[in-house]
Amino acid sequence: MAAAAFLSARAAPALLPPSRRLSRRLVVSRAAAASASSSSGGQGGGGVEFQGKVGFLGLGIMGAPMASNLIKAGCDVTVWNRTKSKCDPLLSLGAKYEPSPAQVASSCDVTFAMLADPQSAAEVACGSSGAAEGLAPGKGYVDVSTVDGATSKLIAERITSSGASFLEAPVSGSKKPAEDGLLIFLTAGDESLYKRVAPLLDVMGKSRFYLGDVGNGAAMKLVVNMVMGSMMVSFSEGLLLSEKIGLDPNTLVEVISQGAISAPMFSLKGPSMVKAAYPTAFPLKHQQKDMRLALALAESVSQSIPTVAAANELYKAAKSLGLSDHDFSAVIEALKAKVQSSQQ
């Protein structure tokens, strides 16, 4: 099935009925998983309790460090990326390469996918030479991309029609947590596959949540990123206002870091934002995509989220300024441009 036709059938993003939401919420930290493994006689000290070959599709700003951590942990990893040159650093670490998602899925027991948007996620899973063509009973497909619930459910339908198992597992975290293996996995779908790949998730992340049926993981990720995007806009406004009234914005960052509204995001990004530097950890275009998907999700259940709607307009303005590939903290530049425009 062509991915374009696949996506055209999508309805507005929708959650499961309230009675079925988050029916079983399992939360496991890396420390808890390590303790359980140790007490049950499992491998420790860097060993991975997973028997089989692992595929990884998509080696961008997030996928590459995630796959790298699996290789360094001793996993047998096969990779694919649209731009083959992005596979080279992983191949130098010992990864294998296959020329299509279908061939990766065919040669591996479990395949992970980290794609940029719903269209790409559907194309790689369900398009021509997509992963679904290489799947079969006994295999698993874990989509760690950030997509809307409708896309995730449609991908799940195509994957499971092959006889394979499906798990959605979008991540909370950006480039540095991906590099450090400190991501948070928000999983939903086949619980047996969740348990099977848990050792791999623990290599790449610090904690994992099992949230029940497919769609709940995607929804949770959109709500988390919606809050994050709105927080960044408010923080940007605070930095600009403090400077405008003669305060040192660096001091503002320090004050915030010691109070009730302290957040690692503010401490990490604030100093760079003051210098108008936006090294990319999470691209602004992806943040705006998530705001757009969150707004569609809210619309599907008639929930008003006016703060998010206003913030989304600023991310769109920042994209129009050519800041799509900068870090999402570059949204502050849209606010600066707005002030300058009002003064002309």
Side-chain angles (χ1 to χ4, degrees):
M1 182 188 302
F6 184 80
L7 281 176
S8 68
R10 291 196 323 186
L15 285 172
L16 295 166
S19 62
R20 294 181 60 201
R21 293 179 201 163
L22 309 185
S23 55
R24 293 195 62 204
R25 188 176 73 94
L26 305 181
V27 186
V28 183
S29 69
R30 175 186 284 171
S35 176
S37 174
S38 176
S39 64
S40 63
Q43 288 179 297
V48 180
E49 292 184 68
F50 179 83
Q51 300 299 318
K53 298 180 179 180
V54 182
F56 210 104
L57 311 174
L59 302 174
I61 195 169
M62 297 293 289
M66 292 170 71
S68 175
N69 283 335
L70 290 174
I71 297 167
K72 291 174 182 176
C75 298
D76 184 347
V77 179
T78 299
V79 298
W80 171 88
N81 193 76
R82 281 196 178 96
T83 304
K84 185 183 177 183
S85 60
K86 289 190 175 182
C87 297
D88 291 342
L90 283 302
L91 300 182
S92 69
L93 292 175
K96 302 180 182 68
Y97 171 79
E98 290 288 352
S100 74
Q103 288 167 282
V104 171
S106 177
S107 67
C108 295
D109 298 285
V110 171
T111 299
F112 287 82
M114 171 57 93
L115 290 311
D117 51 47
Q119 182 74 32
S120 299
E123 183 69 36
V124 168
C126 311
S128 176
S129 297
E133 294 183 7
L135 292 170
K139 294 182 180 291
Y141 190 79
V142 184
D143 194 341
V144 295
S145 315
T146 298
V147 301
D148 55 281
T151 296
S152 192
K153 291 173 186 177
L154 286 170
I155 292 175
E157 181 181 354
R158 178 67 181 92
I159 296 302
T160 55
S161 71
S162 72
S165 302
F166 176 79
L167 187 74
E168 64 175 0
V171 300
S172 181
S174 56
K175 180 181 178 182
K176 188 64 164 59
E179 293 172 342
D180 295 342
L182 296 176
L183 296 169
I184 301 168
F185 286 91
L186 307 173
T187 75
D190 190 295
E191 189 172 359
S192 64
L193 179 57
Y194 166 73
K195 293 176 180 177
R196 182 181 175 191
V197 301
L200 302 177
L201 301 181
D202 292 340
V203 167
M204 298 182 285
K206 65 180 181 180
S207 61
R208 45 185 162 87
F209 292 71
Y210 180 76
L211 303 172
D213 294 329
V214 171
N216 285 334
M220 182 68 80
K221 175 60 189 295
L222 291 180
V223 172
V224 168
N225 277 19
M226 171 194 87
V227 172
M228 180 176 73
S230 300
M231 286 172 62
M232 179 55 72
V233 168
S234 181
F235 182 56
S236 297
E237 291 175 338
L239 290 176
L240 294 179
L241 178 59
S242 67
E243 186 172 27
K244 190 81 169 183
I245 61 178
L247 298 174
D248 182 352
N250 286 299
T251 302
L252 173 65
V253 174
E254 186 176 354
V255 170
I256 288 176
S257 72
Q258 296 184 34
I261 61 171
S262 173
M265 179 176 75
F266 298 152
S267 297
L268 288 170
K269 297 185 182 295
S272 295
M273 293 170 69
V274 172
K275 299 175 183 177
Y278 314 106
T280 306
F282 182 49
L284 186 142
K285 62 185 178 184
H286 293 168
Q287 177 64 68
Q288 194 276 316
K289 177 260 296 183
D290 292 348
M291 300 293 268
R292 172 175 57 81
L293 294 177
L295 285 164
L297 177 62
E299 178 67 20
S300 74
V301 293
S302 301
Q303 173 64 50
S304 176
I305 48 173
T307 301
V308 177
N312 183 51
E313 292 304 313
L314 284 168
Y315 284 103
K316 288 163 61 177
K319 286 175 62 178
S320 72
L321 294 174
L323 298 170
S324 290
D325 293 321
H326 288 67
D327 189 73
F328 78 109
S329 55
V331 71
I332 193 173
E333 294 295 331
L335 286 165
K336 292 178 183 177
K338 193 176 182 70
V339 171
Q340 291 172 356
S341 175
S342 67
Q343 294 175 342
Q344 292 178 352

